[in-house]
Amino acid sequence: MENQQQEIFNIILKDYCPDEMETWESLVSFDVDTNIIDAKEAFKEAVSEYVSAHKSDIPNDEDEETESLTWGKILSSMTDEDFAKHGLQRRKGIVNTIMTLDCDEEPNIEEW
């Protein structure tokens, strides 16, 4: 019997404010069911199905003049069951800390 590793599918949400004073990144993690061959495709199918069925239900910010369907709005509106139907289990009780490093930059360790 072969030992199968548990796959984790991660999405990084980035928000860059125009003044660049507040920039943040958030990581959303999913456990992937062992019968799922392509986690990215499963995620795309889950989002497509949800948006097709619930586009008018996704809340719009009051200060926005036009309705904008953003990743933040979609992911905050989708339930765990919406993802589970496609073999993705949203990980709970986990703190994800993100540190972004540019692979082409030299680290300046003295300034850490």
Side-chain angles (χ1 to χ4, degrees), residues 92-105:
K92 295 182 180 185
I94 295 172
V95 175
N96 289 311
T97 302
I98 300 169
M99 181 175 183
T100 304
L101 303 172
D102 186 334
C103 64
D104 293 325
E105 285 185 7

Side-chain angles (χ1 to χ4, degrees), residues 11-16 22-28 96-101:
I11 299 168
I12 296 176
L13 293 173
K14 296 181 181 184
D15 189 10
Y16 298 106
E22 289 191 33
T23 298
W24 59 264
E25 296 175 329
S26 176
L27 182 69
V28 181
N96 289 311
T97 302
I98 300 169
M99 181 175 183
T100 304
L101 303 172

Side-chain angles (χ1 to χ4, degrees), residues 2-110:
E2 188 177 316
N3 243 354
Q4 189 170 10
Q5 292 182 338
Q6 172 63 47
E7 181 179 358
I8 298 172
F9 177 65
N10 294 304
I11 299 168
I12 296 176
L13 293 173
K14 296 181 181 184
D15 189 10
Y16 298 106
C17 293
D19 59 8
E20 302 222 10
M21 294 297 288
E22 289 191 33
T23 298
W24 59 264
E25 296 175 329
S26 176
L27 182 69
V28 181
S29 295
F30 297 89
D31 287 320
V32 181
D33 290 352
T34 57
N35 63 326
I36 300 300
I37 295 170
D38 186 342
K40 287 181 186 179
E41 199 57 40
F43 175 77
K44 290 176 187 179
E45 289 171 5
V47 171
S48 294
E49 179 180 292
Y50 181 81
V51 170
S52 294
H54 300 282
K55 188 172 184 175
S56 63
D57 300 336
I58 298 173
N60 190 39
D61 294 335
E62 292 177 18
D63 61 343
E64 289 185 17
E65 293 178 17
T66 59
E67 222 173 289
S68 178
L69 192 60
T70 64
W71 280 113
K73 292 176 190 175
I74 293 168
L75 292 177
S76 65
S77 298
M78 290 182 73
T79 66
D80 294 339
E81 291 77 21
D82 294 322
F83 291 109
K85 290 191 292 187
H86 297 273
L88 302 172
Q89 311 300 324
R90 198 177 335 219
R91 302 185 98 202
K92 295 182 180 185
I94 295 172
V95 175
N96 289 311
T97 302
I98 300 169
M99 181 175 183
T100 304
L101 303 172
D102 186 334
C103 64
D104 293 325
E105 285 185 7
E106 291 182 24
N108 189 347
I109 297 171
E110 291 81 26

